[in-house]
Amino acid sequence: NESLGGEIDAIDVATMKAHMDDGGNVCVAGIKAPAQIWSVDSAFMKNYYRCRTDSTTPIDAVVSVYDGVPGNGVSNQLTVGIQSAPVTYVNHILTPINGGVPTFTFKDEFGGGNYGNGGVIYSGAYRSVLLSFAPEFLAVQSIPVTTQPLDTLLARILNFFSTGAATGVDDDD
């Protein structure tokens, strides 16, 4: 809801819930998004995004890499990174519950450590993706960790949502 400063509110939650109840897929990604959803309606987050967060867990490391969880349809062998490290905000760790599946783990600037989950997906009557990082700040880099571009992540999410396949913008079909 950009008119109100980008905060997720009760109207947004009700809209997402109705869409998901109708079998619609939803992806929400943002630095503050998990905490906002949790504070508006924690039951919605637990029952629809299938995860929880305490929204205040500090990570005692410089987080600049989000490493895909092996075997996960969205993040398998996918590493994405922030364009301007270090990250100075509190990373919202997502704990999968009720069938949620971890998608990305927070890593330090060298790709080491495991500081918690930064993403959770769910597949059932609807599919959902919740990421606790902002995709618009992702960048391709190769030193010290090689990361993939944003469009790779977006294509994976679109493929997760449908039985088709994401293609390039120049694809005439």
Side-chain angles (χ1 to χ4, degrees), residues 146-160:
T146 300
T147 62
Q148 287 80 27
L150 171 59
D151 61 353
T152 303
L153 172 60
L154 295 177
R156 296 264 187 102
I157 292 169
L158 290 173
N159 287 336
F160 174 67

Side-chain angles (χ1 to χ4, degrees), residues 44-129:
F44 168 74
M45 188 166 170
K46 290 188 274 188
N47 294 323
Y48 285 79
Y49 285 104
R50 308 297 175 116
C51 63
R52 60 179 175 78
T53 184
D54 68 7
S55 76
T56 60
T57 302
I59 299 173
D60 190 21
V62 174
V63 172
S64 59
V65 175
Y66 308 102
D67 197 32
V69 173
N72 184 288
V74 170
S75 65
N76 186 47
Q77 298 183 347
L78 180 64
T79 299
V80 294
I82 288 248
Q83 64 181 322
S84 58
V87 176
T88 56
Y89 58 86
V90 173
N91 289 285
H92 300 290
I93 297 170
L94 303 176
T95 303
I97 58 172
N98 303 327
V101 177
T103 304
F104 285 97
T105 55
F106 293 118
K107 302 284 184 165
D108 64 28
E109 59 194 319
F110 303 104
N114 180 343
Y115 301 99
N117 297 308
V120 173
I121 63 172
Y122 172 74
S123 180
Y126 59 87
R127 292 182 180 205
S128 65
V129 177

